[in-house]
Amino acid sequence: MNASHQPDPRDRPARLTVGVVGAGRVGPALAASLRLAGHRPVAASGVSDASVRRAADLLPDVPLVPPAEVLDRADLVLLTVPDDALPALVEGLAETGAIRQGQLLVHTSGRYGTKVLEPALRAGALPLALHPAMTFTGTPVDVQRLAGCSFGVTAPEELRLAAEALVIEMGGEPEWIAEESRPLYHAALALGANHLVTLVAEAMDLLRDAGVTAPDRMLGPLLGAALDNALRSGDAALTGPVARGDAGTVAAHVAELREHAPQTVAGYLAMARATADRALAHGLLKPELAEDLLGVLADGTGPTGGTGGGKR
């Protein structure tokens, strides 16, 4: 391995005691990964049964204590609570005097940069925003998935080396995100990952309704190839009836969905319109075919105003 790609040992933070506030799916996995790098998890907070189980699986022998006690014990504190809960948590910790001078306070929210940690900064904490661009299960497999995972990182200039070193120690790759770009960055990830789960789940439901006994086996190779092609080629990877301008086929799809799964029609039409726009802009959808197709997508009926084929 090229030594130039390794972090300078002088830039690595000293071995730290680590605490987790919010033992959801993310915090225990990150703390377990930091443990592998030589840091020492010493406390976590969590009250639900699921949190207790996750902590026991990923952080055995680490006690569950109230948040203020986590901060009292740890040099590096991971704030891994839901986005909407983060501002109030930081305010509360600062107001109660739980934050220590020189304490590394790291949140994992994709939405926020370091400004949300301003109350902690005023209390003397060192603020970092380290968001792993990964979906988490709350199981030990999450630690393995951090290898090569990109982290959206926002940090003060003087803490950039520390932030980079922590990410690399967890097996990740730092990607620097400006404070003002955090909401857009997070929206992009949600659009790609969260909505993908919904699309796949709906596709599996429809395949079951169509009589397919193993929709996961059918979709696996197809979706794997589509994802690989999209990551490699972008819009050039678009295929299917929308990209081809097959208005009659799209109308038939809409008719079937209205009959069997009306709750999916709005999503189908919205994604088909976005696909048509991208295919047209990229030169895949011929302009002479676009008019009928866009007419179908505007009202969900066939090119001549009918239902476009009914049941197939």
Side-chain angles (χ1 to χ4, degrees), residues 191 226-240 242-244 271-285:
L191 182 67
L227 178 59
D228 184 63
N229 291 342
L231 292 174
R232 291 173 183 272
S233 304
D235 288 331
L238 286 171
T239 62
V242 172
R244 292 192 299 266
M271 290 304 300
R273 290 186 196 108
T275 300
D277 288 344
R278 300 188 76 92
L280 192 58
H282 201 74
L284 296 173
L285 175 58

Side-chain angles (χ1 to χ4, degrees), residues 103-214:
Q103 192 168 44
L104 278 167
L105 212 57
V106 178
H107 79 70
T108 59
S109 165
R111 171 185 172 186
Y112 293 109
T114 56
K115 283 186 179 179
V116 72
L117 297 175
E118 184 65 32
L121 177 64
R122 292 195 298 268
L126 305 178
L128 299 176
L130 308 180
H131 175 253
M134 178 54 62
T135 182
F136 288 81
T137 64
T139 65
V141 72
D142 295 334
V143 180
Q144 302 168 25
R145 287 179 174 172
L146 289 174
C149 167
S150 291
F151 279 66
V153 180
T154 304
E157 186 64 34
E158 63 272 18
L159 293 177
R160 283 173 68 96
L161 287 177
E164 183 179 58
L166 285 171
V167 169
I168 291 173
E169 286 188 326
M170 288 186 282
E173 296 285 343
E175 187 73 37
W176 299 99
I177 309 294
E179 180 80 31
E180 64 273 14
S181 297
R182 294 288 293 205
L184 179 61
Y185 151 81
H186 196 223
L189 295 180
L191 182 67
N194 303 152
H195 296 176
L196 176 62
V197 174
T198 301
L199 289 172
V200 173
E202 288 190 345
M204 289 200 295
D205 288 344
L206 294 171
L207 286 172
R208 290 188 192 96
D209 291 344
V212 175
T213 56

Side-chain angles (χ1 to χ4, degrees), residues 261-299:
Q263 73 280 3
T264 68
V265 172
Y268 180 96
L269 290 173
M271 290 304 300
R273 290 186 196 108
T275 300
D277 288 344
R278 300 188 76 92
L280 192 58
H282 201 74
L284 296 173
L285 175 58
K286 296 178 181 178
E288 61 269 24
L289 298 176
E291 184 176 356
D292 279 350
L293 175 66
L294 294 175
V296 170
L297 298 178
D299 60 17

Side-chain angles (χ1 to χ4, degrees), residues 12-18 29-42 75-76 143 165-166 168-171:
R12 293 176 61 181
R15 303 303 87 185
L16 302 168
T17 53
V18 179
L30 297 188
S33 183
L34 288 168
R35 169 180 271 167
L36 292 176
H39 300 287
R40 185 164 61 91
V42 293
D75 304 315
L76 164 63
V143 180
L166 285 171
I168 291 173
E169 286 188 326
M170 288 186 282

